[in-house]
Amino acid sequence: MKKNIFYTMLFALCALVMTSCDKKSEGLSRITYYPSITLNGDTYLIWEKGEAYVDPGYYSELNGEDVTSQVTVSGTVDINKSGVYTLTYTTVKNEDGFDASAKRTVVVLDSTSPIEGFYLNQASSDRNGTAYGRDIEVLVIDNGDGTVLFDDALGGWYAVRANNWAGYGANYKMAATVAVDDDGTLTLEDSHIPGWGDGLDSLEGTFDEATGTIKFVCVYAETLTFNETWIKE
């Protein structure tokens, strides 16, 4: 008799727990659909200066529905000014407030400029003669005022070079504004490396238009001297 009473009580308790769980979970079991976005074409474009920019387009979907028309695009491309531009494409939010985004980089360049364009860092070395940077790509932008912008005057020393203490990424590129005289002489005007928050001590070199070659020596942190040779692609 006691045994039967025990099992009856156990059954009632289990039923109560199951009923309680059902009430708590009621209305909470559902599927969340997240928006997606796909960019047409390349995410890194080289665009000729002066040509009207035509975006390759994009496609966005939410729960099987085409919501491309609800995508917002932030950022602009100035086709009249050489430079690197970023466009950000953001989808509509779902019912939980989640959206998705994608980015496209557009590099506007003047193909007629003798100095502007992409270069390969061919023969760089530090003060000890240690070679580095072969075939690392660097970018030179003509500012149109007698100066150019080197996107990384260290030629990948911190940003790209792979060993146990470098290869830190784009935040460790040494952006440098360099004056270019009529005879091709290069002199430093300004520089900055975001990752460290400082700049070069000096930069001196030459640009040979006939061979598309930039050669210079720069000093960083007083003790680091870099000898670099860049060849235009």
Side-chain angles (χ1 to χ4, degrees):
M1 182 66 178
K2 291 181 178 180
K3 197 174 192 179
N4 290 337
I5 293 175
F6 172 76
Y7 282 118
T8 300
M9 292 177 64
L10 182 61
F11 176 79
L13 180 61
C14 290
L16 179 62
V17 171
M18 292 178 66
T19 301
S20 176
C21 288
D22 286 343
K23 288 182 178 179
K24 288 182 179 180
S25 62
E26 184 177 352
L28 296 181
S29 296
R30 62 185 179 85
I31 298 175
T32 299
Y33 295 97
Y34 294 92
S36 64
I37 185 166
T38 302
L39 298 185
N40 300 333
D42 295 330
T43 58
Y44 192 93
L45 297 177
I46 310 301
W47 207 263
E48 181 66 27
K49 182 179 179 180
E51 288 189 4
Y53 177 71
V54 180
D55 195 272
Y58 45 87
Y59 175 76
S60 181
E61 188 175 280
L62 176 59
N63 190 18
E65 179 183 353
D66 183 348
V67 291
T68 303
S69 62
Q70 299 181 62
V71 170
T72 58
V73 183
S74 60
T76 59
V77 177
D78 187 347
I79 61 171
N80 297 311
K81 184 178 180 179
S82 297
V84 180
Y85 302 92
T86 300
L87 301 175
T88 303
Y89 308 77
T90 305
T91 67
V92 65
K93 295 181 184 294
N94 68 5
E95 61 183 7
D96 295 313
F98 293 101
D99 57 24
S101 64
K103 294 181 182 295
R104 193 191 316 271
T105 299
V106 182
V107 182
V108 176
L109 295 176
D110 182 357
S111 61
T112 65
S113 169
I115 193 170
E116 183 169 87
F118 289 94
Y119 290 72
L120 288 181
N121 183 4
Q122 287 294 298
S124 296
S125 62
D126 64 10
R127 71 183 189 280
N128 297 317
T130 302
Y132 75 94
R134 178 166 292 279
D135 294 335
I136 290 178
E137 194 171 62
V138 289
L139 175 62
V140 176
I141 295 290
D142 190 342
N143 294 322
D145 59 358
T147 69
V148 295
L149 174 67
F150 292 176
D151 79 329
D152 187 5
L154 298 180
W157 178 258
Y158 290 115
V160 180
R161 188 171 56 95
N163 61 24
N164 61 349
W165 61 277
Y168 296 149
N171 206 39
Y172 292 85
K173 289 184 174 183
M174 180 69 78
T177 301
V178 179
V180 186
D181 291 343
D182 292 339
D183 63 358
T185 300
L186 305 176
T187 53
L188 181 67
E189 291 208 346
D190 190 25
S191 60
H192 182 67
I193 184 170
W196 305 131
D198 54 7
L200 294 172
D201 299 312
S202 64
L203 184 152
E204 296 179 347
T206 60
F207 168 60
D208 185 344
E209 181 177 345
T211 61
T213 303
I214 293 175
K215 291 185 177 182
F216 63 92
V217 177
C218 62
V219 179
Y220 176 51
E222 297 183 352
T223 60
L224 297 176
T225 301
F226 300 89
N227 299 278
E228 304 190 42
T229 299
W230 297 356
I231 308 297
K232 194 173 185 181
E233 294 185 82

